[in-house]
Amino acid sequence: MVGSAIVRHLLAGGLIADNLVLRTHGELDLTSQASVRAFFEIERPNQVYLAAAKVGGIHANNTFPAEFIYQNLMIEANIIHEAWRAGVQKLLFLGSSCIYPKLAPQPMSENALLTGPLEPTNEPYAIAKIAGIKLCESYNRQYGESHGTDYRSVMPTNLYGPGDNYHPENSHVIPAMIRRFHEAKVSGAPVVMLWGTGTPCREFLYVDDMAAASIHVMHLDKATFEAHTTPMQSHINVGSAQEVTIRELAETIAMVMGYEGNIAFDPAKPDGSPRKLMDSRRLNNLGWQPKVELEEGLALAYQDFLFNKYPLHSSITQ
């Protein structure tokens, strides 16, 4: 999802397609060091956007913790090391807001990293993302002067939008709700049951805003970037600065999609962190602001869902 959005923005910015080196998951196994090494030795890119990851919601993280930590560690280690071996000086690593402690002071600033226990349901994924940040920082510290290594990290809040994963069990909260409300609307179901209490607060960012932020950070001149970061705390938060409860989110999605049934919550299911709001002032001070409001973004996401996942229902109005 994020990688596709970054490609859209690079092309929109005038970068012709011939300058982009792209691979699908089926074409390149990023968990294989040999495959990644061969890719970099052949292609020799100038810049790398590391958006690839194994991702999912609470259920997926709880069910497949070994897969989440192993695959993400392998992807990061292989790409960052082989990029360095191939002489790549510019790399951007995309992490996640789950790197911060479960009870971190809100909004969560960059200096909250490694100050307390993580949310248990996604700890393996968070550990892998923290490792990615530290890989970038470590290569900068060791090879910045000798090789010109300039590897940066951005930590997005919860993302959604075109290209999302709408799997009924392993998706994130917004695509999971879009699918569930759509199916309830089509079938005429009187109620939609959702996990948890509906009380946790979450922040959401439309994926094209994230793409714009990624390109912005990648192209900041080194002096400006280093003036706003430190060698061992160089990651930058990317958020919308707006939060809603899960209940409010569900009500907004139902309204955007035209579902008129009831919404219920199962408190026996886990809520995750009680609140996750990013402090994005560092990035705001570097000249970036989000553009897409939540209701507008949800409408665009639903259009994408209808077009790509349920073409027979693409005539449904909102």
Side-chain angles (χ1 to χ4, degrees), residues 1-77:
M1 177 176 67
V2 184
S4 297
I6 291 174
V7 169
R8 287 198 300 272
H9 278 252
L10 289 172
L11 292 173
L15 187 67
I16 60 174
D18 290 344
N19 286 343
L20 298 179
V21 180
L22 310 173
R23 293 291 186 277
T24 65
H25 176 73
E27 293 170 332
L28 177 60
D29 179 5
L30 297 176
T31 65
S32 166
Q33 185 179 33
S35 298
V36 175
R37 177 168 296 183
F39 167 79
F40 276 100
E41 288 178 345
I42 293 170
E43 297 295 345
R44 298 282 172 174
N46 294 318
Q47 297 182 359
V48 173
Y49 288 87
L50 177 41
K54 180 176 178 60
V55 300
I58 292 176
H59 175 77
N61 275 271
N62 261 336
T63 307
F64 308 108
E67 293 180 23
F68 272 83
I69 192 167
Y70 172 77
Q71 291 188 28
N72 284 297
L73 284 172
M74 292 302 101
I75 289 169
E76 297 157 8

Side-chain angles (χ1 to χ4, degrees), residues 13-215:
L15 187 67
I16 60 174
D18 290 344
N19 286 343
L20 298 179
V21 180
L22 310 173
R23 293 291 186 277
T24 65
H25 176 73
E27 293 170 332
L28 177 60
D29 179 5
L30 297 176
T31 65
S32 166
Q33 185 179 33
S35 298
V36 175
R37 177 168 296 183
F39 167 79
F40 276 100
E41 288 178 345
I42 293 170
E43 297 295 345
R44 298 282 172 174
N46 294 318
Q47 297 182 359
V48 173
Y49 288 87
L50 177 41
K54 180 176 178 60
V55 300
I58 292 176
H59 175 77
N61 275 271
N62 261 336
T63 307
F64 308 108
E67 293 180 23
F68 272 83
I69 192 167
Y70 172 77
Q71 291 188 28
N72 284 297
L73 284 172
M74 292 302 101
I75 289 169
E76 297 157 8
N78 289 340
I79 292 179
I80 292 170
H81 181 69
E82 297 306 328
W84 170 78
R85 283 188 76 254
V88 176
Q89 294 182 324
K90 298 280 292 182
L91 179 145
L92 189 75
F93 169 69
L94 278 68
S96 169
S97 62
C98 70
I99 63 169
Y100 295 116
K102 177 178 180 178
L103 301 178
Q106 303 289 319
M108 300 179 293
S109 66
E110 287 87 353
N111 61 17
L113 183 64
L114 299 176
T115 60
L118 300 165
E119 161 59 42
T121 57
N122 58 16
E123 182 190 71
Y125 178 74
I127 290 291
K129 288 300 181 180
I130 293 170
I133 296 171
K134 294 305 175 183
L135 275 166
C136 290
E137 291 177 350
S138 297
Y139 277 72
N140 289 342
R141 290 168 58 202
Q142 185 167 345
Y143 301 116
E145 290 189 11
S146 60
H147 293 69
T149 303
D150 184 6
Y151 294 173
R152 305 175 182 183
S153 300
V154 285
M155 299 298 114
T157 188
N158 300 286
L159 301 175
Y160 70 99
D164 214 337
N165 167 30
Y166 296 96
H167 190 279
E169 294 181 348
N170 298 334
S171 57
H172 285 118
V173 59
I174 285 182
M177 284 190 185
I178 287 176
R179 175 170 181 146
R180 195 163 298 180
F181 279 112
H182 172 78
E183 292 177 345
K185 177 181 176 178
V186 171
S187 66
V191 63
V192 171
M193 179 68 70
L194 301 173
W195 276 30
T197 63
T199 60
C201 291
R202 291 293 182 269
E203 175 188 28
F204 297 96
L205 184 70
Y206 190 63
V207 69
D208 285 73
D209 276 339
M210 181 60 204
S214 299
I215 295 168

